Structures are given as C-alpha cells and as structure tokens.
Amino acid sequence: MRSTLKFAVPLAVAALALGACGTKGGDTPAPGGTGGAAQAACDLKIGMFGALTGPNANLGIYIQNGVNLALDDYNKKHPDCKVTLENYDSQGLPDQAPALAKKAIDDKKVVGIVGPAFSGESKAADPAFNEAGLVTITPSATATKLSTNGWKTFFRALGNDDTQGPAAAKYMKETLKVTKPFVIDDASEYGKGLADIVRKDLGAAVVGNDTIQQKQTDFSASVTKVTSSGADSLFFGGYSPEAAPLIKQLRDAGWKGTFVVADGVKDQSYIDNAKDAAEGTIITCPCVPPDVAPDFQAAYKAKYNEDPNTYSGEGYDSATILLEGIAAGKDRESMLDFVKSYDKKGVTKQLKFDDKGESADIKVFAYKVEGGKIVGIGEIK
C-alpha cells in the first residue's frame, strides 16, 4: 500500500468525481462565491488526519491513497488552480491529536480535513476543529457518540457503530447461527463502544466478556476464559495489531470457534501476522467493496497496482466533497454550509448528511478471510 506507481486515471472517474463542478483554473469563483478569477482560491489545501506511521498505519494509508486519487482527478481538471494535500500523521493516538489539530487550524490555507481517521483521536481533536470552524469529514471513525457532541463541523461519510454493531450481531445470530458467543473489547473509544453494542444485541446468549489493552501481546488469560466458557464464537471489538495475536493464541490452544471482528481489523496486516489462524475470520465493515464502483476500482489499481482497500473509497469521496467546495469558491468559513447541503452520488454511496453530520446512506457489509485474502460476502440486510 505504500508503493507509488506511475498514474493514468480513466476519464470516466474524473468525470464522475467532478463533472458537476463546471469550473476550471481560470474561472474559479473567489472564496465566498463572489465570482471571477481569484488568486486566493488557487493556493488552498485539504488535510489528511490519521495514522500514516505506527502499527495502525495501513488504515491511514488506504484512506490517503483515496484522497490522493481525488486530488489527481481535481488537479488534472484544474491545472492552473491546483490544490495540495497536507498530512497530519497522528499514528492513531489520541494524545497526538490536539497538537496536530492546532497545526491544521493555524494553517489558514487548509479549508477542510479528511479525518480524523480513528474514533479516539476524533474525540480529542474535533472540539478544536469545531471551535475554529474547520470542516472535518471522517471516512472511517465509527464511534456513535462523535455525532452527539454538538460539533457543527463534524461529518461522517459512513455508518456509525449503532449500525455496524447490530449488523454484526444479526449476522452472528441469523447467518452463523451461533449460540454461545463470547465478547472481548480493547478498551478503546472505538473497540469498547462497538463491543458494548454487540453485547447488548446478543443479549443473554453471551457466555462471557473480557477486556484487553492496546499494545498487549500476551492473551493467555483471555484464552483461558474463552476456552473454558464453551464459546462457539468470539466477537472482538478492536484493531488488527491485537486481533492477530489473540486469534493465533486461541487457535494454538485448540479453540475452534468462529472469530468475528469489525472494520478495525479489515487489513492485510491482520492476515500477515495471524497467518493460518486468520482463515475463516468474519469481518463486518460499513465500507463498500471495490467492485461496487468499477471505474474507481480501475483508476485506483492503475495508480497503486492493487484494488482499493478499507476506506479508500470513503477517503476519495470525502476529499471530493471538499474539492468540489473549493471549485465552487468556498473558503474555510463558507465550506461548512456547502458540505451541509451536499447531495450527490459518490463512488461509495449517495453523499448526503443529516443534521448531526451522519451519512444519510448507510450500508454494512460482511467479509471473510479465505485463502489468505479478505473477500466480500455481501451486504448485511
């Protein structure tokens, strides 16, 4: 995912992304929508806020790849009025987020942020973004409570955990037919919030609960709890760095139940680290499979020599909304109303937000690890 190859974007994708803008470099309206050529509108940036290094970097890189593809499309269409990307590498850590948010806010050329990518860092950074009036569109942070804080600048380009959690529980009950589920969370804003929803929806069938910590490597205590409970399945709310050793140690102990995880584990690094133990893992995600948008899939593969990965499409869509705002002459202040009223078809879904900044078009999909790869099963309905 870190490779960068020579790029050739099919014209269909550029048209899909920005055909509705109708502006070119020389006739871009001035910030605020006053019309006419304007130098100020040709020196703007969007930000990418998320982990680009560290154990959770893959998710951020997948998103960044989508953002860069959207920028390529935009800048080809506006060669005399290009937009640049400013990266804010949080490593996915909440304690890094406030300082990075201030850095973005202080750069007045930044008119919108794709991210923050993780729920914990969103909780830490979004109050500052809201106070400064800097729009954020997260392509991946799913904690439900993020949209309940009254942040006017918060937007989410996917479903939250109140949609993913019930879908995961439904899939476990109705499709996998589990009868003795166990639930573990990683105590993070994302992992615990999601696991608590699954616990509630699975109800009295849950035979045991446990909590682990991020960066933990020895899961012997949890393994004993799961194996002694007689659990036929395990839902884990957390990220891939912990999911891989957890399932590996469970399989080494002889546990044969079904391992169910969510979008925080939908990453090739999980398979690379868990090896054969990952086989058969069920993954839920409010992210759209690549083949839903074949033009985008082809353009992405032409640039990166691989299919779009987790939240690449959502990153592309989030960036496209901000870029269309720039093309319409919006600055930091006027971008908010532009995003609020946005209603167009993107590569992942109809892009429209409710009054809390939540996506108005939500789907949750199931995936499975088969033959060392993550393959789509279908939408959970």
Side-chain angles (χ1 to χ4, degrees):
M1 212 54 181
R2 294 174 175 79
S3 62
T4 302
L5 304 180
K6 189 173 179 181
F7 175 41
V9 181
L11 293 178
V13 177
L16 174 66
L18 294 162
C21 293
T23 60
K24 296 181 181 179
D27 59 5
T28 301
T34 58
Q39 284 297 112
C42 295
D43 193 24
L44 298 178
K45 305 175 184 177
I46 61 173
M48 159 60 201
F49 194 116
L52 298 174
T53 60
N56 291 305
N58 277 356
L59 178 64
I61 292 169
Y62 300 150
I63 294 167
Q64 184 193 51
N65 286 346
V67 172
N68 278 325
L69 186 57
L71 274 167
D72 286 343
D73 288 351
Y74 180 89
N75 288 332
K76 284 184 70 176
K77 192 174 181 68
H78 302 81
D80 300 322
C81 196
K82 293 184 177 182
V83 176
T84 56
L85 179 65
E86 193 73 29
N87 290 310
Y88 300 96
D89 179 11
S90 64
Q91 297 187 326
L93 301 174
D95 60 1
Q96 300 286 331
L100 288 172
K102 184 179 186 305
K103 184 178 179 182
I105 291 165
D106 289 346
D107 186 346
K108 300 306 179 184
K109 294 180 181 179
V110 176
V111 297
I113 298 289
V114 176
F118 292 82
S119 296
E121 66 185 13
S122 295
K123 182 180 179 182
D126 281 344
F129 287 133
N130 183 65
E131 185 176 352
L134 182 56
V135 168
T136 66
I137 307 177
T138 181
S140 55
T142 59
T144 302
K145 292 182 179 179
L146 293 175
S147 65
T148 65
N149 296 291
W151 300 328
K152 295 179 180 179
T153 56
F154 173 85
F155 297 90
R156 182 171 7 222
L158 73 164
N160 63 32
D161 289 340
D162 273 352
T163 57
Q164 184 176 195
K170 180 179 181 180
Y171 193 85
M172 292 176 73
K173 289 186 291 186
E174 297 182 5
T175 302
L176 299 178
K177 307 292 185 183
V178 305
T179 58
K180 295 180 178 181
F182 198 103
V183 181
I184 297 178
D185 68 77
D186 70 348
S188 70
E189 187 78 13
Y190 158 73
K192 185 179 187 306
L194 180 58
D196 282 348
I197 293 169
V198 173
R199 287 181 176 108
K200 179 181 177 182
D201 278 44
L202 291 175
V206 176
V207 296
N209 292 283
D210 198 16
T211 296
I212 58 97
Q213 301 298 317
Q214 290 183 290
K215 298 184 180 180
Q216 184 174 331
T217 57
D218 180 359
F219 298 101
S220 55
S222 297
V223 168
T224 298
K225 292 177 183 178
V226 173
T227 55
S228 63
S229 71
D232 63 359
S233 57
L234 167 62
F235 179 85
F236 173 63
Y239 296 101
S240 56
E242 290 73 42
L246 173 60
I247 188 58
K248 195 171 186 307
Q249 290 171 39
L250 277 163
R251 296 302 189 213
D252 288 345
W255 186 70
K256 299 187 183 302
T258 303
F259 192 44
V260 183
V261 296
D263 54 317
V265 184
K266 190 176 175 290
D267 179 3
Q268 184 62 37
S269 69
Y270 165 66
I271 300 171
D272 293 343
N273 292 325
K275 307 298 184 185
D276 292 345
E279 197 71 10
T281 299
I282 299 296
I283 305 173
T284 65
C285 186
C287 52
V288 176
D291 56 6
V292 171
D295 287 343
F296 171 71
Q297 182 181 20
Y300 190 99
K301 196 161 189 174
K303 184 174 176 67
Y304 299 109
N305 198 33
E306 60 187 12
D307 285 330
N309 216 306
T310 310
Y311 296 131
S312 297
E314 286 77 8
Y316 180 95
D317 279 346
S318 299
T320 296
I321 295 171
L322 298 174
L323 291 167
E324 288 199 12
I326 292 172
K330 306 305 178 185
D331 58 10
R332 182 181 290 189
E333 182 179 356
S334 56
M335 185 66 77
L336 178 59
D337 285 337
F338 179 85
V339 176
K340 277 183 179 179
S341 61
Y342 196 89
D343 187 1
K344 293 183 182 179
K345 179 70 175 177
V347 300
T348 64
K349 61 179 72 68
Q350 187 70 20
L351 302 175
K352 181 180 180 181
F353 304 100
D354 66 16
D355 57 2
K356 290 185 178 181
E358 295 282 13
S359 174
D361 185 5
I362 297 170
K363 295 178 176 66
V364 180
F365 294 83
Y367 299 81
K368 186 176 183 179
V369 177
E370 288 185 343
K373 295 182 179 180
I374 299 172
V375 298
I377 299 174
E379 184 179 354
I380 303 173
K381 296 180 179 180

